[in-house]
Amino acid sequence: MKAIRFTGLILFLFSLSLFLASFFMGSYTLTHEIFSSIVKPEHQEMLRNSYEFDRPYASGITFVNHLKKGIDEINVTARAEQRWGDIIYDDYVSTLTRASATGAVTENELLFFMLIYVVGTMGALMFILPQAKLAGPPGIRHNHIFHNALNNRGWLGMLSGTLLVVFYILLYFFPAYITNWIIIVNPVQKLLNPSASSGQWFLYGFLYTFAVIVMGFRMLVKYRHSRYQVFRTISVMFFQLAFAFVIPELLVRLNQPYFDFKNMWPLDYDFFDAWHINMLTQSGGLGIFMFAWGITLFVIGVPVFVYFFGKRWYCSWVCGCGGLAETAGDPFRQLSDKSTEAWQIERLLIHGVLVFGVIMTILVLYNFFGEDFYFAVNKWTVLAFPAIIGAGLFFFHRKKFPYMKGGKVRNVIVGIVGFFTLGAAFSEVSVFAKYMPVDGNNFNFSSGNIRTMYGFMIGSMFSGVIGTGFYPFMGNRVWCRFGCPLAAYLGLVQRFKSKFRITTNGGQCISCGNCSTYCEMGIDVRAYAQRGQNIIRSSCVGCGVCSAVCPRGVLNLENQNEYGRFNQPISLGNVNKII
Amino acid sequence: MQHIVIIGNGIAGITAARNIRKLSDDSITVISGETDYFFSRTALMYIYMGHMEYRHTKPYEDWFWEKNRIELKRAWVSSVDFDFKKVIFSKGGDLAYDKLILATGSQSNKFGWPGQSLNGVQGLYSYQDLELMEKNTRNISRAVIVGGGLIGIEMAEMLHSRNIPVTYLIREKCFWGGILPVEEAKLIDRHILEHHIDLRVEVELKEIIDDGNGRVKAIKTKNGDTIECQFVGLTVGVHPNVDLVKDSPVESDRGILVNEYLQTNYPDVYAIGDCAQMRNHLPHRRAIEAVWYVGRMMGETVAGTITGTQTKYQPGIWFNSAKFFDIEYQTYGTVPNQLRDNENHFYWECEDKKKCIKIVFNKETNIVSGINLFGIRNRHEVWSKWLGEGKTLDYVVKNLETANFDPEFFKRYESDIQAQYNQQFPDKPISIRKKGFLEKLLT
Ligand SMILES: Cc1cc2nc3c(=O)[nH]c(=O)nc-3n(C[C@H](O)[C@H](O)[C@H](O)COP(=O)(O)OP(=O)(O)OC[C@H]3O[C@@H](n4cnc5c(N)ncnc54)[C@H](O)[C@@H]3O)c2cc1C
Ligand code: SF4
Ligand code: SF4
């Protein structure tokens, strides 16, 4: 058994290394044919002189840099001379790189796919499954989590966090560099839809699903004694595989719009984008159904289901972000911050994002139905605004936090200000100019620009780079806890109108702290349990892990009569208690 | 405004402090030599096993104390001058009080075995014990644990998590034999063996052998066996820590004696938690109850009396819980290890031999007096009500479903239990719970 695990680990590490190595493989040659078949005629003249043709590049990085430089130079000049029509927005860099790639990876897509993903899966499963026998009888096995370099922010945690962040930045902003990775998953793309070829988002969807499934098996082995955990894990694995990955691809194959039936606004922030509405409404019956379905889901589905089951029906049974958090993220759940300050920051941020998302959508819809609006504001005024609000909030609430001497709340305000300052700095860098629309010293506000900014700041940076990249630093629900506008909406319903609660069993709590430690949402469950109070928190995703790890059987997730849900804090046992 | 001094920052002392703060504006000082902040002693094992770090075991954030004006003082008290109302610190200095609460907890028992003070021999009670254990168990090839109780089995689990082979000596016929009836104890015995612990029942420690450098190298049992080991865990129970009242006007027996208001014989001095012994205990409770919950309840109660509302300590039904490796245990009411003359029991064990319940009831009246549950969770509130109202066996078995507290989708055993009940007690049959649609689908 131990030998199987060891072999599995070796195989997995081999696949991982090959995956990383493939980044550097191959050579790139831009030919005239490739150039003219990809670049639009009106751009060919401008670009032709910037590029060297028929020169083989050994390094993908240099190749991409050269392509990028050519386009950037043209755009910079065009901007400076205010020739707006001449700016190139097309992502030629990715498509040209993809077409110019030659070498081992390009010629052996399938082989690389097998060696990385098939062997990798085998290795991972060989490592994971024997635990069912080796780790002893079924039960909670959290031994050495806080002694472990991966699980407790040791060097392995730091390394994997950094790799994840780098991966996300490349994926979102510089996909041309990861052309080889995109090529390697092409065989799966062809399998699902022979007429397509894989792109950056296919790679992402594939890796995501891969992680959920493989780590889902880990979860199934780990919690094989708890049917709640088993069913829930199977559910997220199913929804990720079928609804998020396979069905949308098949829809495209059948010439229908790409659609994830379980995703919804406001998490799915492009649902109300003009192109999206048009795509759905112009795709016949199914498209219209999709549009109606998407709206029904958040208008009726959310309140009704949350009323009966709590927000867990979505967050820890269906959602893709939740699915990743509950499977690949499980080794990091103990890293969430349980302090009251973290809770305050959480409420500030998550509801802030909800408000931002709603305003953004209203503007986008306003634009869709009516005319666009436009105004420009001095960059520094925009940056000062959150700083003033932040400082004001802190000033008026300072009595509330006498114990926060220079604590995190202040840090957060500094953080917000810093974020915007960085935003301004970024906006000076040409790559980011398309996400942070500035013109001289002004921010140009139009619904389109605000939508782009939302996509950049919330969609890419928050939910992706920080949301997943920070698993090994801040726990597996960073996005769900601090940023997801849908979670905020579900949470509001859960808090005010729902049958769901976590019940505390009389006076049995021994304040050990397992529940709080393993709550991925950073809820201080013990604070309620030791007082005999039900846990009703908008952020609780109902993962049920607090109940599973409690060594005294104190906690139970229940949907019951709303009456008496907010019980008085009474831990049973003492007849003559005066408080 | 009076100054209330509490010695001991465990659950008893801290609950008293928090409740006094809620009820009054008195100034409060809590003294402890063990740690700066209150932590959960019951979680010591999880720190060793790496489930948590020390910081996770603190039930309140560090700012809490200042915000609630509870003064914390880290120091050992060497004695108390009861006449002049002041506590004296071991490092010098003293502190005057108007009212004193002794919440000094327990100490580990040691029964005078030869070699019991060798290096590598220890109990597990305090945070310092845990640090010591961390040191003592580094690079060892075998450990012996003596004493079949709650802390013993926790220690076995701790060592097992570090892959240290454990020999576990138990004086009784089976695990925790002084408390558990034999069926339940056997169930746990099997589970201990399943975890590859070398369990030896009816074996007593005779002596611990020195390796010549003041460190343990082996132990001898009364059967004459010698077991080589580099660590000995002595977990043969605890006794109240009465150090501060020995040779003082405050009366003590095994514990510090208190009346139903938790007052000692000496004015303005109270004792609560593990260190207290009730002069007249309620019939369904014991004089000394060294458990977490009692510390909490006494803390809640004493706060009333101290702030001017005389409040009797009146615990409800006995309850307790524990976890033996992977098997959870809960108990409500009284289930003695040996049935008394007028008692009978109903015992059900699951096919997997890892879950069971035992209900004890009166032979004549059928009134239930207590239940033990292993591997099944039940509701405290429901049992508290049933035992208070004197429900009979048939009622309880018929309504077991109401008491179930297992997570959703868990397999339910009520129908099995009820079927067995009908077989065993055919004269008073009850209706059997029907499975729900979803449940049938899933099983
Ligand atoms: C490993 C372990 C596991 C346990 N598990 C459970 C469980 O699962 N369930 C359960 O119900 N109970 C359990 N218990 C028992 C439970 O922890 C105790 O009953 C409870 O902690 C007693 O609380 P207390 O406040 O009375 O005393 P303590 O928690 O012992 O607090 C007393 C404090 O006073 C300090 N002190 C004593 N004398 C002095 C002095 N002279 N000067 C300064 N400070 C002093 C001590 O250092 C200590 O910090 C467990 C105990 C241990 C050791
Ligand atoms: S409170 Fe419990 S169920 Fe809710 S998110 Fe935290 S661990 Fe999961
Ligand atoms: S609820 Fe359970 S896990 Fe949480 S502190 Fe209480 S006993 Fe520990």
Side-chain angles (χ1 to χ4, degrees), chain A residues 503-518:
Chain A
T503 313
T504 297
N505 195 9
Q508 289 278 26
C509 175
I510 52 167
S511 302
C512 69
N514 274 298
C515 51
S516 298
T517 306
Y518 287 94

Side-chain angles (χ1 to χ4, degrees), chain A residues 161 164 186 197 199 206 224 233 235 244 248 259 297 311 336 355 429 456 483 512 536 545 567:
Chain A
L164 276 172
N186 200 34
S197 64
F206 177 82
R224 62 196 183 283
T233 305
S235 172
F259 197 74
L297 214 49
K311 92 194 227 191
S336 61
V355 171
V429 181
F456 168 66
C512 69
I536 300 170
V545 167
N567 67 334

Side-chain angles (χ1 to χ4, degrees), chain B residues 109-117 146 204-208 222 234-236:
Chain B
N109 289 340
K110 282 187 173 185
F111 292 133
W113 289 292
Q116 68 179 16
S117 321
V146 184
E204 280 186 68
L205 176 66
K206 185 155 159 257
E207 63 169 306
I208 305 168
K222 286 196 179 162
L234 295 179
T235 57
V236 284

Side-chain angles (χ1 to χ4, degrees), chain A residues 267-281:
Chain A
L267 173 60
D268 180 11
Y269 58 87
D270 49 18
F271 188 81
F272 290 109
D273 281 1
W275 66 267
H276 193 250
I277 299 182
N278 289 335
M279 178 182 83
L280 292 184
T281 48

Side-chain angles (χ1 to χ4, degrees), chain A residues 285 294 305 336 403 431 480 484 534 563 568:
Chain A
F305 283 119
S336 61
Y403 44 86
V431 212
C480 313
C484 176
N534 289 345
Y563 176 76
Q568 288 303 310

